[in-house]
Amino acid sequence: MSLVCAISNEVPEHPCVSPVSNQVFERRLIEKFIAENGVDPMNGQPLSEEQLIDIKVSHPIRPKAASATSIPAILKSLQDEWDAVMLHSFTLRQQLQTTRQELSHALYQHDAACRVIARLTKEVTAAREALATLKPQAGLVAPQAMPASQPATGGAGGEPMEVSEQVGMNPEIIQKRGKTVPEELVRAEDLSKYRQVASHAGLHSASVPGILCMDLCPSDTNKVLTGGADKNVVVFDKKEEQIIATLKGHTKKVTSVIYHPSQSVVFSASPDSTIRVWSVTGGNCVQVVRAHEASVTGLSLHATGDYLLSSSEDQYWAFSDIQTGRVLTKVTDEAAGVALTCAQFHPDGLIFGTGTADSQIKIWDLKERTNVANFPGHSGPVTSIAFSENGYYLATGAQDSSVKLWDLRKLKNFKTIALDNNYEVKSLVFDQSGTYLAVGGSDIRVYICKQWSEVLNFSDHSGLVTGVAFGDNAQFLSSAGMDRSLKFYSL
């Protein structure tokens, strides 16, 4: 039973008892009463503050007001508590999602850093081997063991330091370091002499004719990958002139294909809204990525070789793990609200571009998942985009019979190649050195970069050219088209 103040009839915070009337009071109330009257309020006898006796009790719990004891009031109180719990739970879920995203980005950056370190280590080893090879060519002899009586020259002005300086300033090394274009690269005057050397028309079904896309294996350009209107993906050996594998599984035509640079794995995309990962050696589908709810219009492999970028008519781009088939992130530009028509990674893997049905080219930051730049200028749906290997230039084609070149450093269009009226651009690709740009569509055209002059033109296909690709150092050019043929051009 709780104590009750004789004056306020409430539970006192600081209870005390009067020895005169033996009643319990709230100390602050009885002190005010004594200060004004000097007597006990219950019996009127004289009373002073010194006579009051404090009562030691545990911290009192005030009873709820009478208005809070009704059923509606209790229900409201419970509702308020439930709302507070739900808001707290929502905040925790948001924090968990943010933490997961940060962890994913950190793991991705760590993986990328490890790969960069491995590549730099490999380059350093190669440079050391090249330096060891160049020393004899520079007329240097290996140092011989000196007699014990002869002192070693270890000073700053000693002969070894002079020799080292000569090697460091060797003009041949300076010349090699300054070169960015491989010496084996075919020259423009030789490229202009290319002619058709082979044509293969039996890769895909004749009942549903048309090769819609193609790619070359980066590590072995004799291996050609094609996707057709017959729903099949075909791997063809150029050297042996035979089909290595025919991969079946898509329920609609195949519109995008990619050959993995280091594994015997290929990727394909289709309007059946799926992306498939195939084993070439096994000849079977090892993973189906379901990242979209509409036709997949673009496919690009990340520089690490572990992730796929895809675009779709559902207005989203997606970033997926090829090992697990899991979609890591999926983003759309809600303000634009238009279908994406193509997608391509920048060589550094940190940004990428997408083309839209309303003639826009959008550049995205992969880590932040934000649109960082837009390139307007085309007047039709964008059909193809390609980044140069040096990362400076972006080539884009659309249904306006033109190819536009963009400088990514200045974020502006510096060149527009106007093509023939009604020319349809279907494929754009730079060679590995970034020296040549090939355009496939109504015909095949090759331009030399920087001058942007045409050095080659082929009209051998009887239908639209849907894919073009360069061999190593542009030693050959390959193309595929709606006439169901795969063609090769070289000297």
Side-chain angles (χ1 to χ4, degrees):
M1 181 177 177
S2 60
L3 302 174
V4 178
C5 174
I7 297 175
S8 64
N9 287 325
E10 292 183 356
V11 178
E13 293 182 5
H14 303 287
C16 61
V17 66
S18 167
V20 176
S21 62
N22 296 327
Q23 293 290 331
V24 176
F25 299 97
E26 171 68 63
R27 173 169 278 280
R28 60 183 176 77
L29 295 178
I30 189 63
E31 286 179 349
K32 286 183 179 180
F33 190 89
I34 292 172
E36 293 176 2
N37 303 295
V39 296
D40 188 299
M42 304 308 294
N43 55 19
Q45 294 185 12
L47 179 65
S48 64
E49 294 181 11
E50 291 76 13
Q51 291 178 277
L52 297 175
I53 302 170
D54 287 325
I55 302 174
K56 292 184 179 180
V57 294
S58 60
H59 185 68
I61 300 175
R62 290 180 174 274
K64 291 185 177 180
S67 60
T69 57
S70 66
I71 291 178
I74 292 173
L75 291 175
K76 183 180 183 305
S77 176
L78 291 173
Q79 182 66 50
D80 292 341
E81 299 236 357
W82 172 259
D83 292 343
V85 170
M86 288 299 99
L87 288 172
H88 183 61
S89 175
F90 174 73
T91 303
L92 289 178
R93 285 200 304 270
Q94 280 188 321
Q95 292 174 350
L96 176 62
Q97 181 66 19
T98 302
T99 304
R100 280 178 174 172
Q101 291 176 352
E102 291 175 352
L103 177 60
S104 174
H105 291 156
L107 291 174
Y108 164 73
Q109 289 178 330
H110 177 266
D111 184 57
C114 289
R115 292 176 184 276
V116 169
I117 291 170
R119 179 173 58 81
L120 291 176
T121 304
K122 185 177 178 181
E123 290 179 358
V124 168
T125 304
R128 286 175 176 168
E129 291 175 354
L131 182 61
T133 305
L134 288 170
K135 279 184 179 179
Q137 296 176 2
L140 302 177
V141 294
Q144 298 178 351
M146 291 182 293
S149 60
Q150 183 177 354
T153 56
E159 187 179 351
M161 289 300 294
E162 292 175 3
V163 170
S164 177
E165 287 170 6
Q166 290 175 5
V167 173
M169 297 300 292
N170 188 293
E172 186 177 354
I173 296 177
I174 294 174
Q175 187 179 12
K176 280 181 178 286
R177 288 186 61 185
K179 285 189 176 181
T180 56
V181 178
E183 293 181 1
E184 300 83 5
L185 184 70
V186 174
R187 295 176 299 174
E189 53 266 30
D190 294 330
L191 189 69
S192 63
K193 300 174 185 176
Y194 275 17
R195 57 183 176 82
Q196 181 180 317
V197 294
S199 179
H200 305 277
L203 277 67
H204 290 269
S205 170
S207 59
V208 188
I211 299 176
L212 304 179
C213 49
M214 70 166 294
D215 191 27
L216 300 182
C217 177
S219 57
D220 181 5
T221 51
N222 283 317
K223 294 178 180 177
V224 185
L225 177 66
T226 62
D230 60 357
K231 311 173 189 175
N232 294 340
V233 178
V234 173
V235 184
F236 180 77
D237 191 311
K238 167 180 172 288
K239 187 174 182 181
E240 300 295 331
E241 296 189 347
Q242 64 181 12
I243 295 174
I244 299 174
T246 299
L247 309 170
K248 300 181 179 182
H250 282 292
T251 58
K252 294 184 179 180
K253 61 186 179 181
V254 179
T255 54
S256 300
V257 290
I258 297 176
Y259 214 121
H260 196 285
S262 59
Q263 302 176 23
S264 185
V265 171
V266 298
F267 312 94
S268 62
S270 166
D272 64 8
S273 75
T274 66
I275 301 164
R276 290 180 179 264
V277 184
W278 308 85
S279 168
V280 176
T281 52
N284 63 312
C285 178
V286 295
Q287 198 70 253
V288 179
V289 182
R290 303 184 186 277
H292 299 285
E293 298 176 1
S295 297
V296 183
T297 56
L299 206 58
S300 183
L301 186 64
H302 191 261
T304 60
D306 294 331
Y307 306 99
L308 272 178
L309 169 70
S310 57
S311 61
S312 170
E313 289 181 359
D314 64 5
Q315 304 177 11
Y316 281 85
W317 62 261
F319 186 66
S320 308
D321 188 323
I322 66 171
Q323 300 296 331
T324 62
R326 192 163 64 92
V327 179
L328 303 178
T329 188
K330 188 175 176 181
V331 177
T332 185
D333 186 350
E334 295 179 356
V338 293
L340 301 182
T341 55
C342 51
Q344 184 71 40
F345 266 120
H346 187 272
D348 68 5
L350 299 178
I351 62 173
F352 61 89
T354 59
T356 68
D358 65 349
S359 70
Q360 293 283 327
I361 294 98
K362 295 179 178 293
I363 306 299
W364 299 79
D365 184 305
L366 178 61
K367 179 182 175 183
E368 301 296 332
R369 298 175 298 168
T370 54
N371 178 204
V372 294
N374 291 316
F375 294 146
H378 283 293
S379 59
V382 179
T383 55
S384 181
I385 62 176
F387 289 96
S388 66
E389 285 301 314
N390 61 15
Y392 295 157
Y393 304 129
L394 169 66
T396 61
Q399 292 180 13
D400 56 5
S401 302
S402 70
V403 173
K404 290 184 179 290
L405 285 307
W406 310 83
D407 190 323
L408 297 176
R409 297 164 294 181
K410 301 177 182 178
L411 298 178
K412 69 176 185 178
N413 171 225
F414 68 90
K415 177 72 176 178
T416 298
I417 301 174
L419 305 171
D420 305 334
N421 288 336
N422 301 320
Y423 190 102
E424 295 186 49
V425 180
K426 292 295 184 182
S427 177
L428 294 171
V429 63
F430 286 92
D431 75 300
Q432 292 178 344
S433 68
T435 305
Y436 303 114
L437 170 67
V439 180
S442 301
D443 57 21
I444 302 168
R445 303 183 183 193
V446 178
Y447 296 87
I448 185 167
C449 298
K450 296 185 179 178
Q451 291 91 352
W452 306 110
S453 57
E454 184 179 305
V455 294
L456 197 60
N457 190 316
F458 289 121
S459 302
D460 297 322
H461 283 278
S462 58
L464 278 176
V465 178
T466 53
V468 287
F470 287 99
D472 284 334
N473 298 311
Q475 297 290 337
F476 69 88
L477 183 69
S478 60
S479 65
M482 292 303 293
D483 58 359
R484 204 167 58 92
S485 67
L486 174 65
K487 298 181 185 294
F488 296 97
Y489 310 86
S490 66
L491 289 172

